[in-house]
């Protein structure tokens, strides 16, 4: 996979052998769209923090690093994938805080973030993820959710009796993005 923008544009990120299908890495046009929309909203990323909750291949964290986010954290549960992510991080010489473990258990222990990217395995129950993410979002921050259009009907979540809807949605084949400002 190639990084789509920023200072590392075009650099290759390798994946563990045989993990391509399991990880469902975010497509390049989706990654570009995410960071273009975030760029329109925030402008400069240098003072912002970025969390990739279900890092998988690590590609979103690497894209955030390439675009010069001030602080980047990525959580990945699979030890094999985690080790490859660490190697890629070293090859790019980027400073990313990678955490091995379950994102839902780790998130409450972390500080707040300006951008939280959520792309769990499709079919995951999004409600508890969104609830926890909202609690860890800085004022003025954005949550970006990636969903499967075939499994998830719409972006609509109830948190403490309040309906949370995205301010922007984009669809790319089976991938649907929702941008939320609670």
């Amino acid at each position: 996979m190639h990084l789509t923008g920023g200072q590392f544009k075009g650099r290759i990120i390798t994946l563990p052998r045989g993990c391509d299908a399991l990880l469902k890495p975010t497509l390049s046009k989706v990654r570009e769209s995410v960071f273009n929309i975030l760029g329109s909203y925030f402008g400069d990323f240098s003072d912002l923090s970025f969390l990739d909750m279900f890092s998988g291949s690590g590609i979103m964290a690497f894209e955030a690093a390439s675009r010069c986010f001030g602080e980047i954290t990525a959580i990945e549960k699979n030890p094999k994938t985690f080790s490859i992510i660490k190697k890629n991080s070293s090859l790019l010489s980027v400073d990313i805080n990678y955490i091995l473990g379950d994102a839902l258990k780790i998130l409450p222990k972390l500080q707040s973030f300006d951008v939280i990217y959520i792309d769990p395995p499709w079919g995951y129950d999004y409600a508890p993820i969104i609830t926890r993410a909202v609690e860890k979002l800085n004022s003025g921050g954005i949550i970006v959710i990636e969903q499967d259009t075939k499994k998830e009907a719409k972006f609509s979540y109830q948190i403490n009796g309040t309906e949370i809807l995205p301010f922007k949605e984009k669809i790319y084949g089976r991938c649907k993005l929702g941008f939320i400002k609670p």
Side-chain angles (χ1 to χ4, degrees):
M1 290 187 306
H2 291 85
L3 292 171
T4 62
Q7 64 182 340
F8 303 121
K9 183 178 180 175
R11 296 280 301 267
I12 296 172
I13 301 301
T14 60
L15 296 176
R17 183 168 287 223
C19 286
D20 227 7
L22 296 173
L23 294 176
K24 71 167 187 57
T26 302
L27 300 173
S28 60
K29 64 183 172 183
V30 175
R31 295 191 314 264
E32 264 187 286
S33 179
V34 166
F35 287 99
N36 286 342
I37 291 168
L38 291 174
S40 294
Y41 182 75
F42 290 112
D44 180 39
F45 297 137
S46 62
D47 292 331
L48 300 179
S49 55
F50 183 94
L51 172 64
D52 185 359
M53 277 187 70
F54 299 85
S55 193
S57 68
I59 194 69
M60 292 306 287
F62 291 121
E63 291 282 5
S66 186
R67 287 162 173 83
C68 301
F69 268 81
E71 184 180 340
I72 303 156
T73 301
I75 304 169
E76 173 51 38
K77 193 174 185 176
N78 181 306
K80 182 178 179 184
T81 306
F82 183 79
S83 68
I84 298 293
I85 292 169
K86 298 276 290 180
K87 285 179 189 174
N88 282 324
S89 184
S90 178
L91 289 172
L92 287 175
S93 297
V94 294
D95 186 22
I96 296 174
N97 179 28
Y98 280 103
I99 303 170
L100 177 63
D102 184 319
L104 289 179
K105 291 179 183 172
I106 292 169
L107 185 60
K109 300 172 188 172
L110 300 178
Q111 81 281 355
S112 317
F113 296 90
D114 297 299
V115 176
I116 299 177
Y117 188 79
I118 300 170
D119 180 18
W122 283 343
Y124 218 83
D125 182 4
Y126 284 83
I129 301 169
I130 303 298
T131 300
R132 288 193 178 113
V134 166
E135 294 167 358
K136 289 296 184 172
L137 192 66
N138 287 335
S139 177
I142 292 178
I143 295 172
V144 183
I145 305 167
E146 187 175 327
Q147 290 183 335
D148 180 359
T149 57
K150 293 185 179 186
K151 295 182 181 179
E152 306 294 330
K154 62 179 183 165
F155 288 112
S156 175
Y157 304 97
Q158 291 289 325
I159 299 176
N160 300 327
T162 303
E163 186 174 31
I164 304 291
L165 297 168
F167 69 89
K168 187 169 199 70
E169 291 183 35
K170 296 286 249 173
I171 296 176
Y172 300 92
R174 281 186 70 176
C175 173
K176 179 169 47 172
L177 294 172
F179 294 80
I180 297 173
K181 293 185 291 186

